[in-house]
Protein backbone atom coordinates (compact mmCIF):
# COMPACT_ATOMS: atom_id res chain seq x y z
CA UNK A 1 0.00 0.00 0.00
CA UNK A 2 1.98 2.94 -1.27
CA UNK A 3 1.34 6.62 -0.65
CA UNK A 4 1.12 7.45 -4.39
CA UNK A 5 -2.16 5.50 -4.57
CA UNK A 6 -3.64 7.62 -1.80
CA UNK A 7 -2.45 10.87 -3.38
CA UNK A 8 -3.88 9.89 -6.76
CA UNK A 9 -7.17 8.83 -5.19
CA UNK A 10 -7.47 12.05 -3.16
CA UNK A 11 -6.61 14.12 -6.21
CA UNK A 12 -9.28 12.42 -8.32
CA UNK A 13 -11.84 12.70 -5.52
CA UNK A 14 -11.17 16.42 -5.07
CA UNK A 15 -11.60 17.07 -8.80
CA UNK A 16 -14.67 14.84 -9.03
CA UNK A 17 -16.13 16.60 -6.00
CA UNK A 18 -15.56 19.97 -7.65
CA UNK A 19 -17.33 18.77 -10.79
CA UNK A 20 -20.23 17.39 -8.75
CA UNK A 21 -20.50 20.68 -6.87
CA UNK A 22 -20.91 22.52 -10.16
CA UNK A 23 -23.34 19.90 -11.47
CA UNK A 24 -25.39 20.02 -8.27
CA UNK A 25 -25.81 23.78 -8.53
CA UNK A 26 -27.15 23.44 -12.07
CA UNK A 27 -29.64 20.65 -11.35
CA UNK A 28 -30.44 21.88 -7.82
CA UNK A 29 -29.31 18.73 -6.03
CA UNK A 30 -27.35 19.09 -2.74
CA UNK A 31 -23.68 18.27 -3.18
CA UNK A 32 -23.83 16.23 0.03
CA UNK A 33 -26.13 13.71 -1.62
CA UNK A 34 -23.98 13.64 -4.77
CA UNK A 35 -20.76 13.12 -2.79
CA UNK A 36 -22.25 10.27 -0.76
CA UNK A 37 -23.42 8.67 -4.01
CA UNK A 38 -19.94 9.17 -5.51
CA UNK A 39 -18.40 7.38 -2.54
CA UNK A 40 -20.86 4.50 -2.89
CA UNK A 41 -20.10 4.17 -6.62
CA UNK A 42 -16.29 4.25 -6.41
CA UNK A 43 -16.20 2.40 -3.08
CA UNK A 44 -16.98 -1.18 -2.04
CA UNK A 45 -20.76 -0.93 -2.48
CA UNK A 46 -20.45 -0.74 -6.31
CA UNK A 47 -17.11 -0.55 -8.20
CA UNK A 48 -14.63 -0.87 -5.28
CA UNK A 49 -12.00 1.30 -6.99
CA UNK A 50 -10.52 2.97 -3.91
CA UNK A 51 -7.06 1.86 -2.69
CA UNK A 52 -7.06 -0.78 0.02
CA UNK A 53 -6.93 0.75 3.47
CA UNK A 54 -8.13 4.21 2.45
CA UNK A 55 -11.23 3.74 4.60
CA UNK A 56 -8.90 4.07 7.59
CA UNK A 57 -8.65 7.76 6.72
CA UNK A 58 -12.18 8.12 8.10
CA UNK A 59 -10.80 7.65 11.60
CA UNK A 60 -9.09 11.03 11.18
CA UNK A 61 -11.39 12.70 8.67
CA UNK A 62 -14.67 12.17 10.53
CA UNK A 63 -13.79 13.79 13.88
CA UNK A 64 -11.77 16.54 12.19
CA UNK A 65 -14.49 17.48 9.69
CA UNK A 66 -17.31 17.22 12.20
CA UNK A 67 -15.45 19.24 14.83
CA UNK A 68 -14.93 21.97 12.23
CA UNK A 69 -18.67 21.95 11.58
CA UNK A 70 -19.34 22.07 15.32
CA UNK A 71 -16.99 25.06 15.74
CA UNK A 72 -18.73 26.95 12.96
CA UNK A 73 -22.20 26.12 14.26
CA UNK A 74 -21.16 27.20 17.75
CA UNK A 75 -19.73 30.43 16.41
CA UNK A 76 -23.11 31.12 14.76
CA UNK A 77 -24.57 31.42 18.28
CA UNK A 78 -23.20 34.92 18.71
CA UNK A 79 -24.84 37.42 21.08
CA UNK A 80 -26.91 39.17 18.40
CA UNK A 81 -28.29 35.84 17.12
CA UNK A 82 -29.09 34.60 20.61
CA UNK A 83 -30.88 37.84 21.47
CA UNK A 84 -32.92 37.75 18.27
CA UNK A 85 -33.54 34.00 17.87
CA UNK A 86 -32.40 32.25 21.06
CA UNK A 87 -35.90 31.59 22.35
CA UNK A 88 -37.04 30.20 18.99
CA UNK A 89 -33.97 27.96 18.65
CA UNK A 90 -34.29 26.47 22.14
CA UNK A 91 -38.06 25.95 21.94
CA UNK A 92 -38.00 24.35 18.50
CA UNK A 93 -34.97 22.13 19.14
CA UNK A 94 -36.33 20.84 22.45
CA UNK A 95 -39.79 20.24 20.98
CA UNK A 96 -38.44 18.35 17.96
CA UNK A 97 -36.33 16.08 20.18
CA UNK A 98 -39.17 15.36 22.64
CA UNK A 99 -41.73 14.73 19.90
CA UNK A 100 -39.30 12.50 17.97
CA UNK A 101 -38.59 10.32 20.99
CA UNK A 102 -42.25 9.99 22.01
CA UNK A 103 -43.77 9.47 18.55
CA UNK A 104 -41.20 6.89 17.46
CA UNK A 105 -41.14 5.00 20.75
CA UNK A 106 -44.93 4.72 21.05
CA UNK A 107 -45.39 4.17 17.32
CA UNK A 108 -42.94 1.25 17.27
CA UNK A 109 -44.55 -0.25 20.38
CA UNK A 110 -47.93 -0.16 18.59
CA UNK A 111 -46.51 -2.10 15.61
CA UNK A 112 -45.11 -4.81 17.87
CA UNK A 113 -41.52 -3.74 18.59
CA UNK A 114 -40.41 -4.66 22.15
CA UNK A 115 -40.72 -1.73 24.54
CA UNK A 116 -37.00 -1.44 25.38
CA UNK A 117 -35.99 -1.53 21.71
CA UNK A 118 -38.68 1.04 20.80
CA UNK A 119 -37.46 3.40 23.53
CA UNK A 120 -33.86 3.13 22.38
CA UNK A 121 -34.78 3.78 18.75
CA UNK A 122 -36.82 6.76 19.90
CA UNK A 123 -33.75 8.16 21.66
CA UNK A 124 -31.55 7.51 18.64
CA UNK A 125 -34.01 9.30 16.33
CA UNK A 126 -33.32 12.64 18.05
CA UNK A 127 -29.88 12.92 16.41
CA UNK A 128 -29.50 14.94 13.21
CA UNK A 129 -26.63 15.52 10.79
CA UNK A 130 -25.26 19.01 11.43
CA UNK A 131 -22.63 18.64 8.71
CA UNK A 132 -25.08 17.91 5.90
CA UNK A 133 -27.58 20.51 7.13
CA UNK A 134 -25.02 23.27 7.40
CA UNK A 135 -23.55 22.45 3.99
CA UNK A 136 -26.97 22.63 2.31
CA UNK A 137 -27.66 25.99 3.98
CA UNK A 138 -24.25 27.28 2.92
CA UNK A 139 -24.66 26.02 -0.65
CA UNK A 140 -28.11 27.57 -0.95
CA UNK A 141 -26.89 31.00 0.11
CA UNK A 142 -30.14 31.46 2.04
CA UNK A 143 -30.29 34.18 4.68
CA UNK A 144 -32.88 35.34 7.18
CA UNK A 145 -34.69 33.91 10.16
CA UNK A 146 -35.39 30.41 8.79
CA UNK A 147 -31.79 29.39 7.92
CA UNK A 148 -30.50 31.15 11.06
CA UNK A 149 -32.89 29.16 13.23
CA UNK A 150 -32.02 25.98 11.35
CA UNK A 151 -28.29 26.37 12.00
CA UNK A 152 -28.95 27.17 15.64
CA UNK A 153 -31.17 24.11 16.05
CA UNK A 154 -28.65 21.65 14.59
CA UNK A 155 -25.95 23.27 16.72
CA UNK A 156 -27.65 22.29 19.98
CA UNK A 157 -30.10 19.48 19.24
CA UNK A 158 -27.41 16.81 19.49
CA UNK A 159 -26.86 17.98 23.07
CA UNK A 160 -30.58 17.45 23.78
CA UNK A 161 -30.34 14.17 21.87
CA UNK A 162 -27.50 12.91 24.08
CA UNK A 163 -29.53 13.75 27.17
CA UNK A 164 -32.65 12.06 25.78
CA UNK A 165 -30.66 8.98 24.79
CA UNK A 166 -29.10 8.69 28.25
CA UNK A 167 -32.61 8.82 29.74
CA UNK A 168 -33.96 6.04 27.51
CA UNK A 169 -30.80 4.01 28.17
CA UNK A 170 -31.57 4.28 31.87
CA UNK A 171 -35.21 3.24 31.39
CA UNK A 172 -34.24 0.32 29.15
CA UNK A 173 -31.65 -0.77 31.68
CA UNK A 174 -34.22 -0.76 34.49
CA UNK A 175 -36.62 -2.78 32.31
CA UNK A 176 -33.95 -5.39 31.57
CA UNK A 177 -32.67 -5.62 35.12
CA UNK A 178 -29.48 -3.58 34.63
CA UNK A 179 -27.92 -0.80 36.65
CA UNK A 180 -29.69 2.46 35.82
CA UNK A 181 -27.06 4.58 37.54
CA UNK A 182 -24.36 3.49 35.10
CA UNK A 183 -26.26 4.87 32.12
CA UNK A 184 -27.13 8.12 33.88
CA UNK A 185 -23.47 8.64 34.70
CA UNK A 186 -22.50 7.75 31.12
CA UNK A 187 -24.80 10.40 29.66
CA UNK A 188 -23.80 13.03 32.20
CA UNK A 189 -20.13 12.30 31.68
CA UNK A 190 -20.30 12.47 27.88
CA UNK A 191 -22.40 15.64 27.70
CA UNK A 192 -21.09 17.40 30.82
CA UNK A 193 -17.49 16.54 30.02
CA UNK A 194 -17.87 17.89 26.48
CA UNK A 195 -19.26 21.18 27.80
CA UNK A 196 -16.44 21.46 30.35
CA UNK A 197 -13.81 20.68 27.70
CA UNK A 198 -15.28 23.22 25.28
CA UNK A 199 -15.17 25.89 27.98
CA UNK A 200 -11.66 24.89 29.10
CA UNK A 201 -10.32 25.36 25.56
CA UNK A 202 -12.65 28.16 24.46
CA UNK A 203 -12.16 30.61 27.34
CA UNK A 204 -8.37 30.96 27.03
CA UNK A 205 -8.63 30.78 23.22
CA UNK A 206 -11.08 33.69 23.25
CA UNK A 207 -8.44 35.90 24.85
CA UNK A 208 -5.25 34.50 23.30
CA UNK A 209 -6.18 33.99 19.63
CA UNK A 210 -6.37 36.82 17.13
CA UNK A 211 -3.27 38.57 18.50
CA UNK A 212 -0.77 37.60 15.81
CA UNK A 213 -3.07 38.86 13.05
CA UNK A 214 -5.08 41.53 14.89
CA UNK A 215 -8.79 40.88 15.04
CA UNK A 216 -8.77 37.46 13.38
CA UNK A 217 -7.32 34.06 14.41
CA UNK A 218 -4.77 32.69 11.96
CA UNK A 219 -5.19 29.43 10.08
CA UNK A 220 -2.71 27.69 12.36
CA UNK A 221 -4.60 28.87 15.45
CA UNK A 222 -7.89 27.64 14.03
CA UNK A 223 -6.49 24.23 13.07
CA UNK A 224 -4.76 23.91 16.42
CA UNK A 225 -8.03 24.48 18.26
CA UNK A 226 -9.91 21.98 16.06
CA UNK A 227 -7.34 19.20 16.45
CA UNK A 228 -6.88 19.84 20.17
CA UNK A 229 -10.62 19.84 20.86
CA UNK A 230 -11.33 16.74 18.75
CA UNK A 231 -8.36 14.79 20.06
CA UNK A 232 -8.98 15.51 23.73
CA UNK A 233 -12.70 14.78 23.41
CA UNK A 234 -12.03 11.39 21.82
CA UNK A 235 -9.28 10.59 24.32
CA UNK A 236 -11.54 11.40 27.27
CA UNK A 237 -14.65 9.75 25.83
CA UNK A 238 -16.63 12.98 25.40
CA UNK A 239 -18.77 14.14 22.48
CA UNK A 240 -16.41 15.99 20.14
CA UNK A 241 -19.40 17.55 18.38
CA UNK A 242 -20.70 19.08 21.58
CA UNK A 243 -17.20 20.07 22.73
CA UNK A 244 -16.50 21.81 19.42
CA UNK A 245 -19.83 23.62 19.46
CA UNK A 246 -19.31 24.88 23.03
CA UNK A 247 -15.76 25.96 22.22
CA UNK A 248 -16.86 27.87 19.12
CA UNK A 249 -19.76 29.52 20.96
CA UNK A 250 -17.45 30.47 23.85
CA UNK A 251 -14.92 32.12 21.57
CA UNK A 252 -17.49 34.12 19.61
CA UNK A 253 -19.20 35.30 22.81
CA UNK A 254 -16.10 36.17 24.86
CA UNK A 255 -13.52 37.33 22.28
CA UNK A 256 -14.29 41.04 22.24
CA UNK A 257 -11.18 41.86 20.18
CA UNK A 258 -12.17 39.46 17.36
CA UNK A 259 -13.79 40.78 14.24
CA UNK A 260 -14.40 37.36 12.66
CA UNK A 261 -13.65 34.57 15.16
CA UNK A 262 -13.20 31.06 13.69
CA UNK A 263 -13.47 32.56 10.19
CA UNK A 264 -10.29 30.79 9.06
CA UNK A 265 -11.95 27.39 9.52
CA UNK A 266 -14.34 28.26 6.69
CA UNK A 267 -11.37 28.54 4.33
CA UNK A 268 -10.19 24.97 4.94
CA UNK A 269 -13.40 23.18 5.91
CA UNK A 270 -14.57 22.07 2.46
CA UNK A 271 -11.68 19.69 1.51
CA UNK A 272 -12.17 17.82 4.78
CA UNK A 273 -15.94 17.75 4.34
CA UNK A 274 -15.65 16.53 0.74
CA UNK A 275 -13.52 13.54 1.72
CA UNK A 276 -15.70 12.90 4.77
CA UNK A 277 -18.90 12.61 2.71
CA UNK A 278 -17.21 10.51 0.02
CA UNK A 279 -15.81 8.10 2.62
CA UNK A 280 -19.23 7.97 4.29
CA UNK A 281 -20.68 6.84 0.97
CA UNK A 282 -17.90 4.31 0.49
CA UNK A 283 -18.62 2.79 3.90
CA UNK A 284 -22.30 2.18 3.17
CA UNK A 285 -23.50 -1.41 3.18
CA UNK A 286 -26.41 -1.60 0.75
CA UNK A 287 -27.33 -5.02 2.13
CA UNK A 288 -28.44 -3.21 5.30
CA UNK A 289 -31.25 -1.59 3.34
CA UNK A 290 -32.45 -4.99 2.11
CA UNK A 291 -32.46 -6.38 5.63
CA UNK A 292 -34.22 -3.42 7.16
CA UNK A 293 -37.49 -5.24 7.77
CA UNK A 294 -40.90 -3.92 8.75
CA UNK A 295 -39.62 -2.35 11.98
CA UNK A 296 -37.03 -0.37 10.02
CA UNK A 297 -39.60 0.88 7.52
CA UNK A 298 -41.87 1.87 10.41
CA UNK A 299 -38.96 3.74 12.03
CA UNK A 300 -38.30 5.75 8.84
CA UNK A 301 -41.99 6.64 8.40
CA UNK A 302 -42.38 7.57 12.08
CA UNK A 303 -39.21 9.67 12.12
CA UNK A 304 -40.38 11.57 9.05
CA UNK A 305 -43.77 12.21 10.66
CA UNK A 306 -42.27 13.13 14.04
CA UNK A 307 -39.94 15.70 12.48
CA UNK A 308 -42.80 17.39 10.65
CA UNK A 309 -44.97 17.34 13.77
CA UNK A 310 -42.16 18.47 16.10
CA UNK A 311 -41.10 21.31 13.81
CA UNK A 312 -44.68 22.52 13.43
CA UNK A 313 -45.40 22.31 17.15
CA UNK A 314 -42.08 23.92 18.15
CA UNK A 315 -42.51 26.69 15.60
CA UNK A 316 -46.05 27.34 16.80
CA UNK A 317 -44.86 27.57 20.42
CA UNK A 318 -42.12 29.97 19.31
CA UNK A 319 -44.63 32.15 17.44
CA UNK A 320 -43.31 31.47 13.93
CA UNK A 321 -45.56 31.76 10.87
CA UNK A 322 -47.32 28.51 9.99
CA UNK A 323 -45.34 28.04 6.78
CA UNK A 324 -41.97 28.25 8.54
CA UNK A 325 -43.17 25.95 11.32
CA UNK A 326 -44.22 23.28 8.83
CA UNK A 327 -40.97 23.53 6.87
CA UNK A 328 -38.68 23.37 9.93
CA UNK A 329 -39.21 19.66 10.50
CA UNK A 330 -38.72 18.94 6.80
CA UNK A 331 -35.33 20.66 6.93
CA UNK A 332 -34.19 18.52 9.90
CA UNK A 333 -34.39 15.09 8.24
CA UNK A 334 -30.66 14.25 7.72
CA UNK A 335 -29.36 11.64 10.17
CA UNK A 336 -25.76 10.50 10.40
CA UNK A 337 -22.83 9.57 12.61
CA UNK A 338 -24.20 10.57 16.01
CA UNK A 339 -27.18 8.23 15.56
CA UNK A 340 -24.91 5.34 14.60
CA UNK A 341 -22.72 6.10 17.61
CA UNK A 342 -25.78 5.89 19.86
CA UNK A 343 -26.81 2.61 18.23
CA UNK A 344 -23.34 1.17 18.84
CA UNK A 345 -23.67 2.07 22.53
CA UNK A 346 -27.09 0.38 22.63
CA UNK A 347 -25.72 -2.74 20.92
CA UNK A 348 -22.87 -2.90 23.43
CA UNK A 349 -25.08 -2.36 26.49
CA UNK A 350 -27.87 -4.71 25.38
CA UNK A 351 -26.34 -7.54 23.32
CA UNK A 352 -29.58 -9.54 23.39
CA UNK A 353 -31.50 -7.07 21.24
CA UNK A 354 -28.94 -4.41 20.31
CA UNK A 355 -27.97 -5.79 16.88
CA UNK A 356 -31.40 -5.21 15.27
CA UNK A 357 -31.32 -1.64 16.63
CA UNK A 358 -27.91 -1.10 15.02
CA UNK A 359 -29.10 -2.57 11.70
CA UNK A 360 -32.20 -0.34 11.63
CA UNK A 361 -30.12 2.74 12.50
CA UNK A 362 -27.53 2.08 9.78
CA UNK A 363 -30.18 1.37 7.15
CA UNK A 364 -32.26 4.43 8.06
CA UNK A 365 -29.12 6.58 8.07
CA UNK A 366 -28.44 5.56 4.48
CA UNK A 367 -31.98 6.54 3.53
CA UNK A 368 -31.99 9.85 5.42
CA UNK A 369 -28.50 10.82 4.24
CA UNK A 370 -29.50 10.41 0.61
CA UNK A 371 -32.95 11.99 0.84
CA UNK A 372 -32.54 14.32 3.85
CA UNK A 373 -30.34 16.97 2.20
CA UNK A 374 -32.80 17.16 -0.71
CA UNK A 375 -35.63 17.81 1.73
CA UNK A 376 -33.55 20.45 3.53
CA UNK A 377 -32.92 22.19 0.21
CA UNK A 378 -36.63 22.10 -0.66
CA UNK A 379 -37.54 23.56 2.74
CA UNK A 380 -35.00 26.38 2.37
CA UNK A 381 -36.24 27.23 -1.12
CA UNK A 382 -39.89 27.30 -0.03
CA UNK A 383 -39.11 29.35 3.08
CA UNK A 384 -37.17 31.86 0.97
CA UNK A 385 -40.04 32.19 -1.50
CA UNK A 386 -42.49 32.69 1.33
CA UNK A 387 -40.28 35.35 2.94
CA UNK A 388 -39.92 37.14 -0.40
CA UNK A 389 -43.69 37.20 -0.91
CA UNK A 390 -44.26 38.57 2.58
CA UNK A 391 -41.64 41.25 2.05
CA UNK A 392 -43.07 42.35 -1.32
CA UNK A 393 -45.25 45.51 -1.24
CA UNK A 394 -48.97 44.83 -1.55
Amino acid sequence: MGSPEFLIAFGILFLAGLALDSFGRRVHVPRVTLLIMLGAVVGPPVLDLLPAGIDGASNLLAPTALTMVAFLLGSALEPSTLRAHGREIILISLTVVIVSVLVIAFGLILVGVPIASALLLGGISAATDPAATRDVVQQSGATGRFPTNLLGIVAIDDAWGLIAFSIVLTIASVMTGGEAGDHVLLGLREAGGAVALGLAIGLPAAHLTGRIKPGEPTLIEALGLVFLCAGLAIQLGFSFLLAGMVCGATIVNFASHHERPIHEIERIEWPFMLLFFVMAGASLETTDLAGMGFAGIAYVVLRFASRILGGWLGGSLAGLPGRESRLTGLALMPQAGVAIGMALVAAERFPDFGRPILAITIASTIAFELVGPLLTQIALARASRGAARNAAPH
Side-chain angles (χ1 to χ4, degrees):
M1 181 174 60
S3 58
E5 294 178 344
F6 285 87
L7 293 175
I8 292 169
F10 286 149
I12 292 174
L13 290 176
F14 279 137
L15 294 174
L18 182 64
L20 285 177
D21 186 7
S22 177
F23 175 73
R25 293 178 188 276
R26 294 183 180 182
V27 298
H28 305 292
V29 176
R31 59 187 176 187
V32 173
T33 301
L34 294 174
L35 289 172
I36 292 173
M37 293 175 65
L38 171 65
V41 170
V42 301
V46 182
L47 300 177
D48 198 11
L49 298 177
L50 296 174
I54 196 172
D55 55 331
S58 296
N59 295 330
L60 177 63
L61 284 173
T64 302
L66 291 174
T67 304
M68 287 181 178
V69 170
F71 261 83
L72 292 168
L73 288 172
S75 67
L77 300 176
E78 56 189 1
S80 59
T81 300
L82 291 174
R83 284 193 298 270
H85 304 284
R87 177 178 173 274
E88 297 169 3
I89 290 170
I90 292 173
L91 271 176
I92 296 171
S93 60
L94 267 175
T95 304
V96 169
V97 167
I98 293 171
V99 170
S100 294
V101 174
L102 294 178
V103 168
I104 289 173
F106 284 109
L108 290 176
I109 290 171
L110 290 176
V111 299
V113 175
I115 295 176
S117 297
L119 286 172
L120 290 168
L121 285 167
I124 290 167
S125 73
T128 55
D129 182 1
T133 306
R134 182 182 178 277
D135 190 77
V136 175
V137 173
Q138 186 181 44
Q139 184 183 7
S140 71
T143 58
R145 178 174 58 194
F146 186 80
T148 299
N149 281 345
L150 191 60
L151 291 177
I153 291 166
V154 297
I156 64 173
D157 69 346
D158 278 339
W160 306 136
L162 285 171
I163 295 170
F165 183 65
S166 68
I167 292 172
V168 297
L169 267 179
T170 301
I171 297 172
S173 180
V174 171
M175 294 177 61
T176 56
E179 291 292 332
D182 292 342
H183 300 301
V184 173
L185 291 175
L186 174 70
L188 291 175
R189 181 181 183 279
E190 185 171 358
V195 171
L197 178 62
L199 290 171
I201 296 175
L203 286 172
H207 297 286
L208 296 176
T209 58
R211 306 289 184 181
I212 299 173
K213 184 179 180 182
E216 184 176 341
T218 64
L219 178 60
I220 297 299
E221 287 175 319
L223 272 178
L225 290 172
V226 167
F227 286 126
L228 183 63
C229 194
L232 286 175
I234 294 170
Q235 182 72 28
L236 296 171
F238 302 154
S239 166
F240 55 81
L241 269 175
L242 186 54
M245 186 271 288
V246 171
C247 189
T250 301
I251 292 173
V252 79
N253 281 278
F254 287 91
S256 57
H257 65 288
H258 283 181
E259 295 173 6
R260 294 183 296 176
I262 318 298
H263 178 69
E264 284 295 330
I265 294 178
E266 294 181 354
R267 303 179 189 274
I268 57 168
E269 172 201 22
W270 178 233
F272 285 91
M273 294 305 301
L274 185 151
L275 291 176
F276 167 69
F277 288 125
V278 170
M279 298 311 300
S283 66
L284 297 179
E285 294 288 346
T286 51
T287 53
D288 287 324
L289 281 175
M292 196 174 189
F294 177 73
I297 296 172
Y299 172 85
V300 170
V301 172
L302 287 168
R303 187 175 185 270
F304 182 90
S306 68
R307 294 269 136 170
I308 300 295
L309 176 61
W312 170 77
L313 183 58
S316 299
L317 292 173
L320 297 184
R323 183 183 183 86
E324 287 189 22
S325 299
R326 292 189 295 271
L327 291 173
T328 297
L330 189 69
L332 294 171
M333 292 296 173
Q335 169 186 299
V338 176
I340 295 176
M342 291 177 178
L344 287 169
V345 171
E348 179 185 347
R349 297 289 188 277
F350 307 101
D352 292 340
F353 55 87
R355 296 305 301 178
I357 292 174
L358 182 59
I360 289 173
T361 304
I362 293 173
S364 62
T365 296
I366 296 173
F368 281 117
E369 276 299 86
L370 291 175
V371 178
L374 286 167
L375 298 177
T376 303
Q377 186 180 63
I378 291 170
L380 285 165
R382 290 183 177 178
S384 295
R385 288 198 296 269
R389 282 198 297 270
N390 292 336
H394 296 285

